[in-house]
């Protein structure tokens, strides 16, 4: 049964009101049929409700006004699911005694069902006049039927758009709640991890027992990995819920040394891998050095994870007059073409990812760090040349940062 609550009626009246063509359409109905009144009515078992009105004959019917459904001829059209056409009511043996027609002195009447493409019966498009027809109504009912179909299609489209907007709003709310949960979880996990890190250190101090020392080392590696994952989640949540990844921008004259130390740490951690580096900067760079190190660290980890073990990883960091260039390349199988558009999406990982990796935010955060500096991060991948990630950051970072800050509506330090 169709909902007859005040809320449902108001919603349907508003839906008709959002169809901008309705006022013109009702005017055309009056002009083409020669009738003094046209309306779009919502019809249920119990009520006829005016949703839009063109009243040229001062019948006094306004939007929102209701009549008992059974007292209207629209009710007959609804039951039969076909138009009702009357040319001269007072001479028509079927309708001459109809109370509704007599109340308003109606002689001429056309009522056409408005049935949505989904099959739902909405109501009727009707036209009324107090003078009998000079031209049989059957000759003009086709126009009214065409307009009824148009209204039905527009209503269906409007409902789909409303449902889509509501679903999108719910998804956005859920996404925000999820990201808030991630931020809170990441913050709260730090305390128990600190306790585990202290226990790992105590085990490593038990130098007399190599088994305990090894257990401590393993615990420490796991704790550090979890801490990195938490930092990634916190960066992600801050970027999505706050004002983007925060930067501590300053002039750094020792960036090259910091990046060389980072590469040296990776060599020590992966002695079986060949990591080639060429790091040479022309001078100081204005940037957030910790974020630049974070980017290089994640790009190196990505190369170590996905690059061919028998081929070297190439790190090239240099500057020219305007830009800081950071490149990390590796050999091995190229990135599938279908994966390329998704590389910088959060939480995305290739289907062929080996088990035990991260949560799929490393490359996303790298790209966000580049953007926060006013730069870019791109990737190329082929069987012949391998895979190479290239970050370009403005060397002074000033112009790019201000442009990006204006775009994102945030401040940089």
């Amino acid at each position: 049964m169709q909902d007859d609550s005040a809320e449902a009626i108001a919603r349907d009246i508003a839906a008709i009101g959002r169809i901008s063509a309705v006022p013109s359409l009702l005017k055309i109905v009056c002009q083409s049929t020669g009738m003094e009144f046209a309306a779009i009515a919502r019809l249920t078992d119990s009520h006829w409700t005016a949703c839009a009105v063109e009243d040229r004959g001062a019948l006094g019917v306004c939007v929102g006004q209701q009549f008992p459904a059974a007292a209207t001829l629209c009710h007959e059209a609804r039951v039969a699911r076909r138009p009702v056409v009357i040319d001269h009511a007072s001479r028509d043996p079927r309708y001459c005694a109809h109370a509704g027609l007599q109340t308003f002195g109606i002689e001429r009447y056309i009522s056409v069902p408005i049935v949505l493409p989904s099959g739902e019966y909405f109501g009727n498009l009707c036209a009324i006049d107090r003078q009998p027809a000079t031209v049989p109504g059957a000759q003009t009912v086709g126009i009214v039927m065409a307009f009824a179909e148009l209204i039905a299609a527009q209503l269906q489209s409007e409902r789909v758009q409303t449902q889509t907007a509501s679903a999108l709003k719910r998804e956005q709310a859920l996404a925000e709640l999820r990201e808030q949960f991630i931020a809170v979880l990441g913050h709260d996990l730090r305390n128990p991890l600190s306790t585990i890190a202290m226990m790992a250190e105590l085990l490593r101090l038990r130098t007399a027992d190599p088994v305990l020392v090894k257990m401590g080392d393993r615990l420490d590696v796991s704790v550090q990995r979890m801490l990195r994952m938490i930092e990634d989640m916190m960066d992600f949540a801050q970027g999505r819920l706050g004002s983007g990844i925060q930067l501590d921008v300053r002039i750094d004259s020792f960036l090259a040394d910091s990046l060389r130390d980072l590469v040296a740490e990776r060599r020590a951690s992966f002695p079986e891998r060949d990591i080639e580096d060429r790091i040479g900067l022309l001078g100081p760079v204005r940037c957030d050095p910790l974020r630049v190190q974070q980017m290089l660290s994640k790009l190196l980890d990505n190369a170590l994870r996905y690059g061919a073990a028998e081929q070297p990883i190439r790190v090239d960091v240099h500057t020219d007059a305007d830009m800081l260039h950071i490149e990390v390349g590796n050999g091995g199988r190229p990135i599938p073409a279908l994966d390329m558009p998704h590389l910088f999406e959060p939480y995305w990982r290739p289907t062929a990812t080996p088990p035990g990796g991260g949560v799929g935010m490393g490359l996303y955060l790298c790209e966000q760090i580049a953007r926060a500096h006013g730069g870019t991060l791109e990737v190329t991948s082929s069987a012949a040349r391998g895979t190479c990630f290239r970050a370009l950051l403005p060397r002074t970072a000033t112009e790019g940062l201000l442009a990006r800050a204006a775009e994102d509506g945030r401040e940089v330090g």
Side-chain angles (χ1 to χ4, degrees):
M1 180 178 291
Q2 195 170 355
D3 189 355
D4 234 354
S5 65
E7 181 182 355
I9 292 170
R11 182 183 63 239
D12 286 344
I13 291 175
I16 292 294
R18 285 193 291 271
I19 302 176
S20 59
V22 161
S24 299
L25 184 148
L26 292 180
K27 286 182 172 66
I28 294 172
V29 169
C30 287
Q31 290 169 0
S32 61
T33 62
M35 296 192 185
E36 60 186 348
F37 178 91
I40 297 173
R42 180 187 192 270
L43 193 64
T44 65
D45 289 333
S46 56
H47 289 94
W48 182 102
T49 306
C51 295
V53 170
E54 173 71 12
D55 188 357
R56 299 182 175 186
L59 292 181
V61 179
C62 58
V63 172
Q65 190 166 351
Q66 291 187 320
F67 298 98
T72 69
L73 288 175
C74 288
H75 177 70
E76 294 190 18
R78 181 173 186 258
V79 172
R81 292 269 177 147
R82 63 174 181 264
V84 170
V85 181
I86 303 172
D87 292 330
H88 200 154
S90 61
R91 295 183 180 179
D92 191 317
R94 296 169 298 173
Y95 301 111
C96 62
H98 192 282
L101 298 180
Q102 290 180 344
T103 299
F104 290 97
I106 295 170
E107 289 287 352
R108 194 174 169 207
Y109 193 98
I110 296 177
S111 181
V112 174
I114 298 174
V115 182
L116 276 56
S118 63
E120 177 188 344
Y121 197 108
F122 176 82
N124 293 64
L125 174 58
C126 55
I128 297 170
D129 198 87
R130 286 172 287 196
Q131 298 298 321
T134 55
V135 177
Q139 296 185 18
T140 57
V141 72
I143 298 173
V144 183
M145 290 178 66
F147 285 153
E149 291 177 3
L150 176 62
I151 294 167
Q154 289 293 315
L155 275 173
Q156 180 84 2
S157 176
E158 196 273 341
R159 289 189 177 182
V160 169
Q161 290 177 3
T162 300
Q163 291 169 358
T164 301
S166 298
L168 179 60
K169 189 174 182 179
R170 288 194 299 271
E171 285 300 319
Q172 289 173 336
L174 286 173
E176 183 172 346
L177 180 62
R178 181 172 60 247
E179 288 157 13
Q180 288 172 343
F181 171 76
I182 290 171
V184 172
L185 179 65
H187 182 272
D188 290 348
L189 280 175
R190 287 175 170 172
N191 288 335
L193 278 177
S194 297
T195 302
I196 296 172
M198 292 175 60
M199 294 174 62
E201 184 62 25
L202 288 174
L203 290 174
R204 294 166 70 182
L205 291 174
R206 299 293 183 107
T207 54
D209 190 335
V211 175
L212 291 180
V213 172
K214 190 173 183 179
M215 289 176 60
D217 289 339
R218 288 180 175 177
L219 271 177
D220 185 64
V221 169
S222 296
V223 167
Q224 295 307 314
R225 179 168 170 267
M226 292 181 70
L227 285 172
R228 287 195 297 271
M229 292 172 66
I230 289 172
E231 290 300 325
D232 286 352
M233 289 192 297
M234 296 293 287
D235 281 340
F236 171 76
Q238 184 181 56
R240 295 289 285 262
L241 299 176
S243 54
I245 284 183
Q246 300 298 303
L247 299 181
D248 180 15
V249 177
R250 58 183 182 271
I251 296 175
D252 193 322
S253 301
F254 304 99
L255 182 62
D257 293 336
S258 301
L259 298 181
R260 290 191 192 98
D261 290 343
L262 190 154
V263 173
E265 289 174 6
R266 288 299 186 276
R267 284 199 186 98
S269 298
F270 298 88
E272 74 283 3
R273 302 296 294 271
D274 183 9
I275 303 176
E276 302 173 355
D277 71 279
R278 186 179 63 178
I279 301 175
L281 308 183
L282 295 177
V285 177
R286 190 173 190 273
C287 65
D288 183 333
L290 293 180
R291 290 295 191 185
V292 172
Q293 292 173 50
Q294 182 184 13
M295 177 195 293
L296 180 58
S297 173
K298 291 185 180 302
L299 292 177
L300 262 174
D301 289 343
N302 186 76
L304 287 164
R305 184 166 185 78
Y306 295 103
E310 69 279 5
Q311 297 187 39
I313 293 171
R314 305 171 303 279
V315 178
D316 185 350
V317 182
H318 64 277
T319 53
D320 55 28
D322 301 312
M323 307 296 289
L324 168 65
H325 299 252
I326 301 175
E327 298 183 6
V328 177
N330 60 265
R333 296 177 60 184
I335 300 171
L338 291 176
D339 290 349
M340 292 289 277
H342 305 288
L343 289 178
F344 302 123
E345 294 177 2
Y347 297 121
W348 183 86
R349 299 175 70 198
T351 54
T353 298
V359 293
M361 285 195 292
L363 293 179
Y364 166 79
L365 291 174
C366 287
E367 198 265 347
Q368 292 297 302
I369 291 170
R371 283 178 55 84
H373 280 84
T376 60
L377 177 62
E378 299 177 347
V379 60
T380 57
S381 187
S382 67
R385 296 193 173 187
T387 297
C388 184
F389 287 87
R390 294 182 177 87
L392 283 177
L393 311 184
R395 183 177 170 186
T396 60
T398 306
E399 181 178 351
L401 278 169
L402 291 178
R404 186 69 67 192
E407 177 184 328
D408 296 341
R410 59 182 170 82
E411 296 181 355
V412 293

